[in-house]
Structure formats: structure tokens, C-alpha cells
Amino acid sequence: MHGLWKYFEENNEIFAVLVAFLAIGGGLLGSVIGAKIQANGGRDQAAAAREAAQIAAEAQRVAALWTVRHVLTAEFIQLVRERAEAAHRLYSENDADGTVQARIDQAGHAVLRKAAEIELIVPSPVMRAAEDMIRALDKFAATSRVAGPAQYLRVVIGEAMWCGDPAHVELAGRARTSLGELGAAAVSGDTETKVRALAAADEALRAAVADITDAQAQAAVAEAMGGREWLDRKRGDEEQVTVCLDTLVAAAREMLKSEGDVAPAVPPQRQRWRQAA
């Protein structure tokens, strides 16, 4: 080492060149290191920008999905209620022109179309509840097609019993009696008795209710032959519709997080060592 220093002392020009070379080399090395640091920082910034864009896009997707689920599911539930309400109207309105029944059928088609739409976007629990709802509605609508007009005619006949016109009162009483006899004949199992009672009930109904339609008369005799079966079926179907609707609403509220924060949940941004520093 001493010999090396002595060499440089004796050759100053070489030592000066060596110092200059080391200075230049050190500067270049510093530039390379600085550029490397700057490049890494640029990559981190670019990655952070990409991640922020992905988070924003995911938030927009979740928010859009929540909105579509909310709108379409609410529309489905409204259509369900409209069909149930239309079926109930058969028990209290004269549907001689078939307007109410047509509304029930139209509402049924609308419910099916809307179910096909929500099937693409809602989770499985909501779709299962929707399918159960459709089956319950179909069953209630089928029961109402018979029990509805029959009950309406019973109300009409009951009111005629108190109309004050002796002739109308007699006809209404005969219709009521004939329906009761038809129910007893149906239970007896005797075919001949049943046929006679059926003909008598049909005739008495048409005499008591001037504007009765064939569909209404058929519904009345069918209900009379079924006895309490139709009443029990109506009550059971109504209860099932209520239960299914409550289940559907509960599943929809769970899907939409109605009891809590409805803000879209997005993944947290990844922390980088430069941010933590």
C-alpha cells in the first residue's frame, strides 16, 4: 500500500486522471441509481392508478347491479300483488264479461316475464322464493276461478232473499235449497240422484239470477258438489300466498341489505411500502 502511494506521488498526472475517472464513474453510478429509483416510483404510481381505476370500476358495477336488482325485484313483487288482488276480486265482483279473469291471466303472464328478467341477476335464495311465489299464485288463481264466481252468486242469492219482492225471494230460496241438495247428492255417491240434483240446481240458479253466465253457473254447481273442500282450499291458498310473499320480501331485503349500509362494498386499496413510509 505504501509503495502504491509513493507511485502516485511520483506520478501526479496519473493520480489526477484516476481521481477524475473515479469522479465520473461515481456520478454515472449515482445517475443510474437515481434513474432506477425514479423508474420504480413511476411503476408504483402507474400500478396505484390502475388499482384505483379497477376499484372505481368495481364500485360502479356493484352499484349498477344493486340498482337493477332493486328495480326489477320491486316490479316483480308489485306484479305478484296485482295478480293476487285480481284473483280476490272474483269473490266480490260480477265477472260476467270475463274482464277480471282476463286481468288475472294477463297478470300471470307479466309475472312470468318479470321472473325471467330477475332470474339473470338475483341470488339463488331470491329466485327460489320467486318460484314458490309463482306456484302459490297459480294455485290460488285456479281455485278462485271456481270458488270466486260461486261465492259471488251466493252473495247475490242471499241479497235476493231480502229484496222485498216475494217472487224474487221464492226463486232465491229455491236456488239456495237446490245447491244444498246438490252437495248432499254429491256426498251420497248415487249417480242418478246426483244428475237430477245437478239439473235442478242449474235451473234454479238461472231462474234466480237473470244475467248469470254459463261459466258462473258451472262454478256454482262445482263448488256445491265439492262442499267445504273449496272453502278450505281457498283459505289454504290465501295463506300460502301470504307466506310466500313474506318470504320473497324478506329474501329481497336481505339481498339489498335493507337493514344495514347499502353502499357498494369494494375491495380495500393495497398498501405499498412507499405509502407506509
Side-chain angles (χ1 to χ4, degrees), residues 46-62:
R50 287 195 300 271
E51 186 173 357
Q54 292 172 354
I55 292 173
E58 177 64 12
Q60 291 176 355
R61 185 193 70 82
V62 172

Side-chain angles (χ1 to χ4, degrees), residues 7 15 20 44 60 67 77 85 161 173 186 198 207 230 244 259 268:
Y7 173 80
F15 181 74
D44 283 346
Q60 291 176 355
T67 300
I77 292 174
E85 187 274 336
M161 295 284 294
L198 180 60
W230 287 101
C244 288
E259 298 298 332

Side-chain angles (χ1 to χ4, degrees), residues 72-173:
L72 294 186
T73 305
E75 290 176 351
F76 177 78
I77 292 174
Q78 179 60 30
L79 290 172
V80 163
R81 287 174 170 154
E82 289 178 3
R83 191 181 190 205
E85 187 274 336
H88 276 105
R89 287 172 54 191
L90 285 176
Y91 293 87
S92 58
E93 297 183 17
N94 183 6
D95 191 34
D97 61 357
T99 301
V100 177
Q101 186 59 58
R103 179 70 189 98
I104 296 172
D105 295 339
Q106 291 171 1
H109 295 319
V111 166
L112 290 178
R113 286 194 296 270
K114 192 60 64 175
E117 294 181 31
I118 67 172
E119 185 178 11
L120 301 176
I121 59 169
V122 299
S124 297
V126 177
M127 197 62 219
R128 285 195 296 268
E131 291 169 348
D132 291 342
M133 185 77 260
I134 292 172
R135 284 191 289 269
L137 276 177
D138 287 344
K139 188 178 179 182
F140 180 53
T143 299
S144 299
R145 185 184 292 269
V146 175
Q151 180 172 307
Y152 170 77
L153 286 178
R154 287 184 180 275
V155 172
V156 171
I157 293 171
E159 291 175 347
M161 295 284 294
W162 302 93
C163 69
D165 185 335
H168 286 168
V169 171
E170 181 181 357
L171 291 173

Side-chain angles (χ1 to χ4, degrees), residues 40-50 272:
N40 289 339
R43 282 195 294 270
D44 283 346
Q45 290 177 353
R50 287 195 300 271
R272 290 182 172 80

Side-chain angles (χ1 to χ4, degrees), residues 14-70:
I14 296 177
F15 181 74
V17 171
L18 178 61
V19 170
F21 176 78
L22 291 176
I24 294 172
L28 291 174
L29 180 60
S31 298
V32 170
I33 294 174
K36 178 66 174 177
I37 293 174
Q38 185 175 7
N40 289 339
R43 282 195 294 270
D44 283 346
Q45 290 177 353
R50 287 195 300 271
E51 186 173 357
Q54 292 172 354
I55 292 173
E58 177 64 12
Q60 291 176 355
R61 185 193 70 82
V62 172
L65 179 60
W66 185 93
T67 300
V68 173
R69 282 176 169 178
H70 173 233

Side-chain angles (χ1 to χ4, degrees), residues 233-246:
R233 186 183 300 183
K234 173 181 179 289
R235 290 175 177 172
D237 291 350
E238 286 179 327
E239 181 180 353
Q240 188 63 24
V241 166
T242 300
V243 170
C244 288
L245 182 56
D246 289 344

